[in-house]
Structure formats: structure tokens, C-alpha cells
Amino acid sequence: LAFCINLTYTVIKESVVVGLGLRPERTLMNLNHLQYFLETCRYGSITKASEVCHISQPSITAAINNLEKELGAKLFDRVNNRLRLTVVGEGFKDLTEEFLKTFDDYCQSAYDIASSRYTKIRVGIPPFLSTIITKSFFRNFRCSIQISG
């Protein structure tokens, strides 16, 4: 079984897929579909979500349908022309928010590294001065301090 991030995967043998508990028709989620799902949750409306995302309503509907197919569960119920999250939808929403926040943090860190805003500094300080110096010196830095003996 070979997986690729670009929304495709290759199945060597269908029995391997079934043995791993994956469905042969499996598609891979993408970040846009997750964002469309969250906007639909936020507004309770595919129409409003499509306006905010600057994409057509059928595209939002297709993205949500693909997510539901991927998960094998309904994410929304229609109630009085509004969408209401199912129990599965609620859990998926929480997970998706957490994932996208982590992904945003990852992207920001990658941009920081690429733009040289990330620098590793090693400082040697005698143990008796370490408490005084580290508090005053590193106060204005966003950093992690590792003390090695």
C-alpha cells in the first residue's frame, strides 16, 4: 500500500486494503474540504459558507459529501432548511478545528524558519550565574531553554 499526500493512493492488492480495514474506494481528505466543513458549521448554511469561501454551493456540497463518504457517517442533518451537526459531526468538527490550528502553527513555524526569524543559539553559563542571567537575558525571546549538565 503506497500513500501520497496529493489526494491519491495506490492499492497493491485489494486484500491488503481490506486486511488493514480501509475501504478500496477511499479518497483522502484535503484542507479545503475541512475548511468548507468548518465554515458550513459556523454559519449553518451551505449558501453562506459558499459566499464566505468564494466557491459555488455545489462545490461545498460535494466537499461535505466526500467527507461523509470518507468517514462513512453523516455529518449534518437538515432541520427546517438549516443544517444541524450530528453527534459524529460534532466530534469531527472539534477534531478538525484542532487539526487546522495545529497545521496553522506548523505553517507559521515553517515560514519563521524560512525567513530566518528562527535561530538556534547555544549559550554557556556557569551554574551559579544561570538563574540570574537566564531570567533577564531570555525574557524577551520566544524560546525553549534546555539545560544540560
Side-chain angles (χ1 to χ4, degrees):
L1 200 52
F3 288 93
C4 299
I5 299 300
N6 68 352
L7 307 180
T8 61
Y9 73 100
T10 304
V11 178
I12 296 171
K13 288 187 176 179
E14 189 168 317
S15 61
V16 172
V17 172
V18 173
L20 292 174
L22 300 175
R23 295 186 321 257
E25 72 278 2
R26 182 173 183 247
T27 59
L28 297 178
M29 298 177 198
N30 73 49
L31 295 175
N32 289 335
H33 290 180
L34 297 177
Q35 191 61 49
Y36 302 156
F37 167 73
L38 286 182
E39 293 302 329
T40 303
C41 292
R42 181 174 291 123
Y43 295 104
S45 162
I46 290 176
T47 302
K48 185 64 178 167
S50 68
E51 291 170 5
V52 170
C53 295
H54 305 289
I55 190 168
S56 70
Q57 287 176 299
S59 295
I60 297 274
T61 301
I64 291 171
N65 288 340
N66 286 339
L67 288 173
E68 290 176 333
K69 183 178 178 183
E70 173 76 18
L71 295 170
K74 286 187 62 132
L75 297 172
F76 292 101
D77 283 325
R78 289 195 177 277
V79 178
N80 298 329
N81 280 341
R82 300 236 347 132
L83 296 175
R84 179 178 292 163
L85 283 169
T86 62
V87 172
V88 172
E90 287 283 348
F92 187 68
K93 177 182 176 245
D94 294 341
L95 185 66
T96 301
E97 288 172 334
E98 182 180 323
F99 170 76
L100 290 179
K101 170 71 172 106
T102 301
F103 185 75
D104 286 343
D105 293 345
Y106 165 85
C107 289
Q108 187 58 54
S109 295
Y111 295 138
D112 289 347
I113 291 168
S115 66
S116 300
R117 287 187 277 174
Y118 172 87
T119 305
K120 187 178 243 182
I121 300 173
R122 293 186 182 185
V123 179
I125 302 170
F128 62 92
L129 292 176
S130 65
T131 305
I132 299 166
I133 292 175
T134 55
K135 285 183 181 176
S136 61
F137 183 75
F138 294 109
R139 184 175 297 133
N140 297 322
F141 291 97
R142 188 180 97 190
C143 64
S144 64
I145 298 174
Q146 295 176 346
I147 299 174
S148 58

